Amino acid sequence: MRRPLVAGNWKMNGLGASLAELRALKDRLAQSPVPEADGMVCPPATLLAQARYMLSGSTIILGAQDCHPLPSGAHTGDISAEMLADAGAAAIIVGHSERRSDHGETDALVNAKASAAYRAGLTAIICVGESEQQRRDGSTLEIVRRQLQGSLPQEARAANTVIAYEPVWAIGSGLTPTPADVAEVHGFIRGELGRLLGQAEAGAALRLLYGGSVKPANASELLFVPDVDGALVGGASLKASDFYAILSAYAGRGAG
Ligand code: 13P
């Protein structure tokens, strides 16, 4: 019942020339569609308007990265959720570990940013995940529980929210947790969501993505773990062929 989602996070990568990759992805999907899953690309804000134009007539969903909690005002250099919606985004990644570490973002701020996404009518992709030290300390579940509790707005529902579990040590490192470790954390998150949203059914309906070094070679192993409803892909989303290969792991198959 949960439709898989593979979302590409381009991070601070992509110039106008990179739109050629988006065109290649669009063409590939037009030739060989993957109706079993949603594909989303989140380029930098500078490319959103052009990407929207490029993607017209395509099934690829456009997303953005980060937003300011307020709709407008004197905040030089910041971009509001409303602006991202206006530029063509349908979703916003919030609480990514790079924002949490580079900019000291707290759970409360991530919560406010997710609420801003809702206010603008967008889906919030809320990221959580433990550091290498926390994994070693055995505090993974406690960290994820705390991040979820702090970052998830009360109004979170399957229709407006996606959770991405991204262990910090797996991001850009080529390392991944074992499928059993992913299953443990995703199962735990599923339970917590039911508790936080006050209804097991609400938690059961929400999509949970795994992120961290997802590549074509490990996609099948990671995407079909129980309670994994797709992936948040960094590096491999920059190449249309790699991103398509990950998305097409779903071709002919259902959700995990
Ligand atoms: P990589 O796929 O490059 O490890 O990045 C994952 C990520 O941070 C996606 O948000």
Side-chain angles (χ1 to χ4, degrees), residues 9 11 96 98 166 170-172 212-214 232-235:
N9 175 8
K11 309 190 179 184
H96 192 283
E98 288 150 14
E166 301 204 303
I171 295 175
S213 295
V214 177
L232 185 54
V233 183

Side-chain angles (χ1 to χ4, degrees), residues 11-249:
K11 309 190 179 184
M12 196 173 73
N13 297 292
L15 301 173
S18 317
L19 293 168
E21 290 297 322
L22 216 47
R23 177 181 287 282
L25 180 63
K26 176 184 173 180
D27 291 349
R28 190 69 210 274
L29 277 167
Q31 261 171 13
S32 310
V34 183
E36 297 85 356
D38 288 332
M40 179 190 290
V41 176
C42 305
T46 47
L47 292 181
L48 280 176
Q50 284 168 277
R52 166 200 237 170
Y53 179 72
M54 166 77 71
L55 292 178
S56 79
S58 159
T59 55
I60 303 164
I61 302 163
L62 193 57
Q65 309 167 27
D66 191 50
C67 64
H68 191 279
L70 296 174
S72 63
H75 301 284
T76 303
D78 279 315
I79 303 180
S80 70
E82 282 77 0
M83 291 169 172
L84 296 170
D86 189 48
I92 311 179
I93 298 168
V94 297
H96 192 283
S97 67
E98 288 150 14
R99 298 290 318 173
R100 292 177 186 265
S101 65
D102 293 358
H103 299 274
E105 292 197 2
T106 61
D107 291 332
L109 181 59
V110 175
N111 190 311
K113 290 182 174 197
S115 293
Y118 304 160
R119 187 189 61 224
L122 305 185
T123 294
I125 300 177
I126 303 175
C127 305
V128 298
E130 82 286 2
S131 69
E132 187 175 10
Q133 186 63 47
Q134 290 161 339
R135 161 75 53 171
R136 255 194 258 121
D137 292 348
S139 52
T140 296
L141 299 183
E142 178 52 29
I143 293 296
V144 166
R145 189 192 62 74
R146 211 185 57 210
Q147 288 177 336
L148 275 178
Q149 185 168 331
S151 308
L152 197 74
Q154 292 246 288
E155 321 88 274
R157 289 292 174 268
N160 61 14
T161 304
V162 172
I163 303 294
Y165 168 58
E166 301 204 303
V168 178
W169 53 273
I171 295 175
S173 64
L175 303 172
T176 55
T178 64
D181 286 341
V182 174
E184 183 194 18
V185 179
H186 277 238
F188 176 77
I189 292 174
R190 184 76 63 204
E192 284 297 296
L193 286 173
R195 199 178 60 74
L196 290 169
L197 302 178
Q199 275 179 318
E201 306 81 63
L206 230 124
R207 294 190 283 188
L208 304 187
L209 310 184
Y210 167 77
S213 295
V214 177
K215 309 286 178 207
N218 62 19
S220 299
E221 175 179 292
L222 293 165
L223 292 177
F224 297 98
V225 167
D227 280 310
V228 172
D229 307 309
L232 185 54
V233 183
S237 72
L238 297 170
K239 276 193 66 186
S241 54
D242 284 352
F243 190 68
Y244 178 82
I246 294 169
L247 185 60
S248 64

